[in-house]
Amino acid sequence: MTRRDNVGPVCSLKFVTLLVALVPDLLFLGAGVQLQDNGYDGLLIAINPQVSEDQNLIPNIKEMITEASFYLFNATKRRVFFRKIKILIPTTWKANNYSKVKQELYEKANVIVTDWYGAHGDDPYTLQYRGCGKEGKYIHFTSNFLLNDDLTAGYGPRGRVFVHEWAHLRWGVFDEYNSEKPFYINGQNQIKVTRCSSDITGIFVCEKGPCPQENCIISKLFKEGCMFIYNSTQNATASIMFMQSLSSVVEFCDARTHNQEAPNLQNQMCSLRSAWDVITDSADFNHSFPMNGTGLPPPPVFSLIQAGDKVVCLVLDVSSKMEEADRLLRLQQAAEFYLMQIVEIHTFVGIVSFNSKGEIRAQLHQINSDDDRKLLVSHLPSTVSAEAQTSVCSGLKKGFEVVEKLNGKAHGSVMILVTSGGDEHIGNCLLTVLSSGSTIHSIALGSSVVKNLEELSHHTGGVKFFVPDKSNSNSMIDAFSRIPSGTGDIFQQRIQLESTGENVKPHHQLKNTVTVDNSVGNDTTFLVTWQTSGPPEIALVDPNGRKYYTSDFITNPALRTARLCIPGTAEPGLWTYTLNNTHHSLQALKVTVTSRASSSAMPPATVEVFVERDSPQFPHPVMIYANVRKGIYPILNATVTATIEPETADPVVLKLFDDGAGNIQMNAPRKSVGRHEEEQKWGFSRVSSGGSFSVLGVPADPPPDVFPPCKIIDLEAVKVEEEVTLSWTAPGEDYDQGQANSYEIRMSQSLQKIQDDFNNAILVNISKLLSPQQAGTKEIFTFSPKLFTNGPDHQPDGETQESHRIYVAIRAIDKNSLKSAVSNIAQVSLFIPPNSAPVLARDHLILKGVLTAVSSIGIICLTIAVTDYILNRKKRADKKENGTKLI
């Protein structure tokens, strides 16, 4: 990666998602929330445009947040409450004197309300993907959850549910229940219920009635037909992350009440720390103190906002620097693509160019037809000026002048700023831009990027991109494709299926295939761009063998683009394209394919990209995430690659994992997306730009190794006969990339000892374990714990020989002896009476037994969580007579 002085490399990030084969078993942080004087301001709740207008939905949202505010205030010991809330009304609802949006976008919402139901209906969930103590992406509710009062009998009051989800979103804590392991055996070989706190009471039920606890066990295995029914009347006050529906529960589990032995996500992800410990370590609590007095805070204040006419202005650099590296040509090609294909119908669009001064090239013009689009394309700049100086402020000033002619304000407008950089005076208009109410998306070309350009986008809720000066890079078009619509209507948005570019030798060809799956196909467009005069020979073949040639494409010789729009719905399957370079010199040939949803009844598969970092300073890592889903259903086991394009060096390609590697715990809805038989043959492909990032303080010389392997977070232990089998996902040499050098496995009969003093726990002999495998590979190791637990020296204080439970943890070591953080702690019970079945079958019996019992006593059945995706689902409690069941 090329380094640039003290600023470090600037990279563009492009995601290419390709699922080459599907089999049946595959299937920010929100914007603007600030804590001031104990109150949260700027919480944004967005209603999806597919949700039907209902007069009760808004009042119910208000009631939920108001109830949540007081409940949260007491649960946090008078620390925080909700003060100012914005509700984004979709434009599909009739206007009702709502305030107009400024910089609020659906894509930036903290809470979204949709009609997309998961595998189990109305379960609320939070998209968490960054690990313990880290903020999530958003909270999701169905409209039915907010409208159907009958559901509160199962989930509890909506305000309590919201606080549970808010703790996921804001503070990065996890659930304290485990639907897959509702029971466990503790260190004294007692059957216990996975719960927090342990003070929550109930009774065991065997088959058709109550029974003693011991009747639920046969040879230390859980008997079919056994379940635990929670009493509806409790004295326990914790925990909100376990069962907020119980009326007595008013606080989070703390160090005093936390159950470290319970096999739940909170223990796994947060190294056995209580939810309250994690919450009090957050920035919210580090910068606030309990409110004085005994009174409650004021109720939240709500603002209802709705987008008006969509207004976009292109603000384009035409300084002499745009003549370098075909920058102007690539800008023209991308802008034409945006105007002809991406920007939504009925949008008002204007065009401004600038060097040291701004110039209006096209006043606002509403797009109602292709002729309107072509008219706007004709106003794109065709030449650069002789002046090298640039003034971004002058360009933006003209842009505001254009958009304000519609209704006198720039509120809710969008500026797409493209510049070659070099302007050191952007800060002069930063306050003006921030107060304008306009969203600034910035596209920086070349290496002369200044920090204030990023701040324009960051502080206005926009997206920032970087386009390297490489002839075969398609990053400019990718950036324009990624500009968010702000509406959340995935059925109307264009979805990018393909983006590729190559420098093709004379009389050679670029040939590839692109998949059009049957969730897309409407308005499918193939765009070909080239570098020199005259188009390449184009041949396109659809799945049925129909052929399209250059003459079928609409060609723009001046901009060197050729475009083919497939009529109707494109045939699903593999489309093959071939571009022949007929010129006598090397030239860059590029292909972009986009489409829309094929049906309003089935959401298309999408990929959403997140780039996160705790610090922009080297050597802090940059974390890359991709959310691959269909509606709210995760698509598991997709092949996802991230292409990072530095300023001048060759692109770096990284494979992303959804198998538990790194710091991501995947915790999905209980069902993955099904596929039609035809679709399984082809898979699907998606492309999405992830914007840009820069790294500060990268040393000029090659730095020493400072990146250890990542923490293992999915260590599991099961007893098989007289041995213990461990399994985990291999980390890499550097975080989750490459191959670690060795492992260190330690065990103890004391949970506290291995947690607090891993280095002095018993070292497990791993001489039979081969070298670590490539990152992302499942590792399995079996050992005999008798070698370590039979001697009297190995009995922890206070434990007797009757305690046959061990705790195991692992860490990885790289070739330079850098060590990962210690993994989650796995635990296993060793005491198995003679002639008993292996513990390995235990989980299956738990699930089968609980499901059988549910059927026999008529309570809503247990649901099973599917691992490998980050959607924390909400527990439901369904009450029957004097019992409460957790599902």
Side-chain angles (χ1 to χ4, degrees):
M1 182 176 292
T2 303
R3 286 165 287 275
R4 180 168 56 85
D5 299 327
N6 292 328
V7 177
V10 178
C11 305
S12 66
L13 178 63
K14 177 176 68 179
F15 277 79
V16 181
T17 305
L18 173 63
L19 187 61
V20 293
L22 290 167
V23 293
D25 61 336
L26 302 185
L27 58 210
F28 208 135
L29 249 41
V33 177
Q34 301 291 331
L35 180 62
Q36 297 180 351
D37 299 327
N38 300 92
Y40 287 115
D41 296 335
L43 176 66
L44 179 61
I45 302 173
I47 301 173
N48 189 277
Q50 298 295 317
V51 174
S52 300
E53 187 166 1
D54 189 296
Q55 63 180 1
N56 294 319
L57 186 56
I58 301 301
N60 284 9
I61 291 175
K62 290 181 176 181
E63 182 182 354
M64 174 179 70
I65 301 300
T66 301
E67 178 187 21
S69 183
F70 298 133
Y71 186 59
L72 180 68
F73 183 71
N74 290 323
T76 58
K77 301 174 174 54
R78 304 181 59 81
R79 287 289 193 115
V80 293
F81 62 94
F82 297 112
R83 182 165 44 216
K84 294 181 180 179
I85 313 297
K86 297 178 182 179
I87 302 177
L88 180 59
I89 309 298
T91 55
T92 51
W93 290 22
K94 64 178 180 291
N96 191 19
N97 294 320
Y98 301 121
S99 299
K100 296 301 180 184
V101 300
K102 293 184 179 179
Q103 294 158 342
E104 298 86 3
L105 300 174
Y106 181 92
E107 291 85 356
K108 298 288 185 178
N110 311 98
V111 182
I112 59 174
V113 179
T114 78
D115 275 342
W116 295 342
Y117 297 95
H120 291 272
D122 296 293
D123 285 353
Y125 67 81
T126 299
L127 178 56
Q128 278 180 280
Y129 60 99
R130 299 179 61 208
C132 184
K134 304 292 186 180
E135 293 191 57
K137 190 71 172 78
Y138 57 74
I139 298 170
H140 174 272
F141 293 107
T142 65
S143 57
N144 190 54
F145 174 84
L146 296 170
L147 293 170
N148 187 350
D149 290 338
D150 292 340
L151 293 176
T152 60
Y155 293 96
R158 295 189 186 100
R160 287 173 168 245
V161 173
F162 189 86
V163 171
H164 177 104
E165 299 301 337
W166 179 256
H168 284 311
L169 179 76
R170 185 72 179 183
W171 300 313
V173 296
F174 292 83
D175 289 322
E176 293 167 342
Y177 61 89
N178 188 337
S179 298
E180 291 186 321
K181 295 181 180 179
F183 307 112
Y184 68 97
I185 299 176
N186 71 359
Q188 286 71 46
N189 292 308
Q190 298 171 322
I191 179 173
K192 294 292 183 181
V193 179
T194 303
R195 58 187 162 177
C196 194
S197 71
S198 298
D199 295 335
I200 293 178
T201 61
I203 60 171
F204 283 88
V205 174
C206 296
E207 296 177 348
K208 295 185 178 180
C211 63
Q213 169 182 323
E214 55 270 17
N215 287 8
C216 271
I217 310 171
I218 300 177
S219 300
K220 294 298 179 191
L221 295 177
F222 299 112
K223 181 181 178 181
E224 283 193 36
C226 275
M227 64 183 305
F228 190 79
I229 303 296
Y230 298 92
N231 296 332
S232 58
T233 301
Q234 300 277 347
N235 294 321
T237 57
S239 168
I240 292 170
M241 301 314 295
F242 174 67
M243 189 180 255
Q244 80 290 323
S245 59
L246 295 175
S247 59
S248 66
V249 170
V250 293
E251 60 187 15
F252 297 95
C253 260
D254 57 19
R256 177 181 56 85
T257 57
H258 182 59
N259 180 4
Q260 290 187 320
E261 289 190 329
N264 56 37
L265 266 182
Q266 176 62 27
N267 280 331
Q268 179 181 342
M269 297 298 295
C270 296
S271 302
L272 308 182
R273 298 175 66 202
S274 72
W276 184 244
D277 285 344
V278 176
I279 292 170
T280 53
D281 274 350
S282 68
D284 287 352
F285 279 62
N286 288 334
H287 298 95
S288 66
F289 300 93
M291 290 180 62
N292 296 324
T294 59
L296 292 174
V301 176
F302 296 90
S303 301
L304 305 184
I305 57 176
Q306 187 179 45
D309 294 319
K310 184 167 184 181
V311 181
V312 176
C313 186
L314 305 185
V315 182
L316 310 177
D317 188 344
V318 293
S319 68
S320 60
K321 290 183 180 180
M322 292 296 293
E323 200 167 21
E324 301 172 11
D326 284 334
R327 291 175 184 173
L328 180 64
L329 173 62
R330 289 187 293 146
L331 169 59
Q332 291 170 325
Q333 292 171 341
E336 183 208 34
F337 172 70
Y338 177 79
L339 293 172
M340 295 301 301
Q341 304 297 328
I342 300 297
V343 67
E344 293 89 345
I345 196 166
H346 306 312
T347 300
F348 288 89
V349 179
I351 302 174
V352 165
S353 64
F354 68 94
N355 42 35
S356 63
K357 299 179 180 179
E359 178 187 357
I360 298 175
R361 305 187 67 90
Q363 296 287 358
L364 287 183
H365 188 85
Q366 189 174 32
I367 296 176
N368 294 305
S369 66
D370 273 357
D371 288 338
D372 296 317
R373 296 178 185 273
K374 293 174 183 177
L375 177 63
L376 286 164
V377 169
S378 71
H379 289 290
L380 290 173
S382 57
T383 59
V384 301
S385 73
E387 188 177 9
Q389 186 179 353
T390 59
S391 172
V392 169
C393 289
S394 296
L396 290 175
K397 182 180 179 181
K398 284 295 181 182
F400 295 145
E401 182 182 327
V402 168
V403 301
E404 287 171 357
K405 289 186 177 180
L406 186 65
N407 53 29
K409 295 181 179 180
H411 290 178
S413 64
V414 172
M415 301 283 166
I416 302 178
L417 171 64
V418 183
T419 179
S420 57
D423 182 0
E424 299 293 339
H425 305 289
I426 297 178
N428 293 345
C429 61
L430 188 57
L431 291 179
T432 301
V433 171
L434 295 181
S435 62
S436 70
S438 181
T439 299
I440 314 295
H441 303 298
S442 62
I443 303 174
L445 312 183
S447 58
S448 301
V449 182
V450 292
K451 181 180 180 181
N452 282 341
L453 185 63
E454 294 187 358
E455 291 182 357
L456 286 179
S457 296
H458 175 72
H459 291 297
T460 62
V463 186
K464 55 187 175 65
F465 303 93
F466 166 73
V467 176
D469 286 333
K470 299 176 184 177
S471 58
N472 63 338
S473 172
N474 213 21
S475 297
M476 183 84 79
I477 288 177
D478 293 342
F480 272 94
S481 299
R482 176 65 173 76
I483 301 295
S485 71
T487 66
D489 192 350
I490 191 62
F491 295 96
Q492 296 301 317
Q493 296 169 14
R494 277 206 170 264
I495 297 171
Q496 196 170 357
L497 309 184
E498 175 77 327
S499 175
T500 188
E502 285 187 15
N503 288 320
V504 180
K505 296 178 180 179
H507 308 295
H508 284 66
Q509 61 183 213
L510 169 61
K511 184 175 183 178
N512 212 336
T513 60
V514 59
T515 300
V516 177
D517 59 281
N518 51 17
S519 72
V520 294
N522 288 349
D523 298 328
T524 302
T525 301
F526 288 78
L527 174 70
V528 176
T529 65
W530 60 94
Q531 192 176 12
T532 57
S533 59
E537 288 183 353
I538 305 172
L540 175 66
V541 184
D542 76 6
N544 292 331
R546 179 178 177 180
K547 297 181 180 180
Y548 302 86
Y549 297 101
T550 308
S551 57
D552 298 309
F553 283 67
I554 299 173
T555 302
N556 186 328
L559 302 187
R560 298 168 196 173
T561 64
R563 179 168 44 91
L564 174 66
C565 297
I566 305 300
T569 302
E571 188 70 26
L574 294 177
W575 290 66
T576 303
Y577 58 84
T578 305
L579 309 182
N580 286 306
N581 180 11
T582 58
H583 293 271
H584 298 291
S585 60
L586 184 81
Q587 75 162 323
L589 301 179
K590 289 170 277 191
V591 177
T592 304
V593 184
T594 62
S595 189
R596 299 189 198 270
S598 59
S599 168
S600 60
M602 177 176 61
T606 60
V607 57
E608 188 177 10
V609 182
F610 314 127
V611 180
E612 299 285 354
R613 56 188 179 181
D614 293 326
S615 168
Q617 194 74 28
F618 179 86
H620 292 277
V622 175
M623 293 157 284
I624 302 168
Y625 306 94
N627 181 7
V628 187
R629 60 181 181 169
K630 195 170 187 180
I632 67 168
Y633 289 106
I635 300 175
L636 305 183
N637 300 323
T639 298
V640 184
T641 58
T643 303
I644 298 140
E645 295 185 300
E647 293 176 34
T648 56
D650 292 335
V652 177
V653 178
L654 302 177
K655 182 178 179 181
L656 306 188
F657 302 104
D658 66 352
D659 49 18
N663 66 345
I664 309 171
Q665 171 63 23
M666 309 289 187
N667 180 39
R670 278 67 58 204
K671 176 182 175 183
S672 56
V673 182
R675 288 285 187 263
H676 296 290
E677 181 178 350
E678 296 84 1
E679 197 171 342
Q680 295 180 21
K681 300 176 184 176
W682 322 305
F684 71 95
S685 63
R686 297 290 185 270
V687 175
S688 180
S689 174
S692 64
F693 62 88
S694 57
V695 181
L696 306 178
V698 179
D701 297 323
D705 183 8
V706 294
F707 302 117
C710 62
K711 176 183 176 179
I712 295 167
I713 62 168
D714 61 346
L715 178 67
E716 293 186 353
V718 294
K719 187 178 184 303
V720 183
E721 297 179 347
E722 299 302 315
E723 296 181 316
V724 171
T725 296
L726 304 177
S727 63
W728 66 93
T729 301
E733 167 75 12
D734 298 323
Y735 296 111
D736 60 357
Q737 300 298 312
Q739 191 171 352
N741 186 62
S742 61
Y743 293 116
E744 178 184 1
I745 302 175
R746 293 184 181 269
M747 55 169 282
S748 175
Q749 287 183 281
S750 166
L751 176 59
Q752 203 65 39
K753 181 173 182 178
I754 198 168
Q755 179 186 16
D756 298 340
D757 193 11
F758 175 82
N759 289 333
N760 289 318
I762 301 168
L763 185 66
V764 176
N765 184 346
I766 59 172
S767 58
K768 294 183 180 180
L769 178 62
L770 299 176
S771 297
Q773 301 185 71
Q774 195 71 21
T777 307
K778 182 62 70 175
E779 301 269 32
I780 297 177
F781 174 65
T782 299
F783 69 99
S784 174
K786 283 188 175 182
L787 300 175
F788 309 98
T789 57
N790 286 341
D793 293 341
H794 296 142
Q795 296 299 324
D797 293 341
E799 292 193 26
T800 68
Q801 189 64 30
E802 296 302 315
S803 177
H804 293 279
R805 190 163 190 80
I806 64 168
Y807 304 90
V808 187
I810 183 175
R811 66 182 173 193
I813 306 169
D814 72 10
K815 61 185 178 183
N816 290 313
S817 300
L818 295 179
K819 297 179 179 180
S820 71
V822 176
S823 72
N824 64 294
I825 298 172
Q827 49 188 302
V828 64
S829 179
L830 302 180
F831 178 71
I832 300 292
N835 303 319
S836 64
V839 174
L840 188 63
R842 185 184 68 183
D843 289 347
H844 171 70
L845 291 177
I846 293 174
L847 300 178
K848 183 178 179 183
V850 174
L851 289 171
T852 302
V854 169
S855 176
S856 65
I857 63 177
I859 299 177
I860 294 179
C861 65
L862 177 73
T863 57
I864 312 303
V866 178
T867 58
D868 291 331
Y869 195 65
I870 309 164
L871 295 176
N872 270 307
R873 84 172 185 89
K874 164 75 23 277
K875 64 192 89 38
R876 286 182 57 188
D878 279 319
K879 298 182 178 179
K880 179 179 176 64
E881 298 176 353
N882 65 338
T884 301
K885 178 177 179 294
L886 179 70
I887 68 172

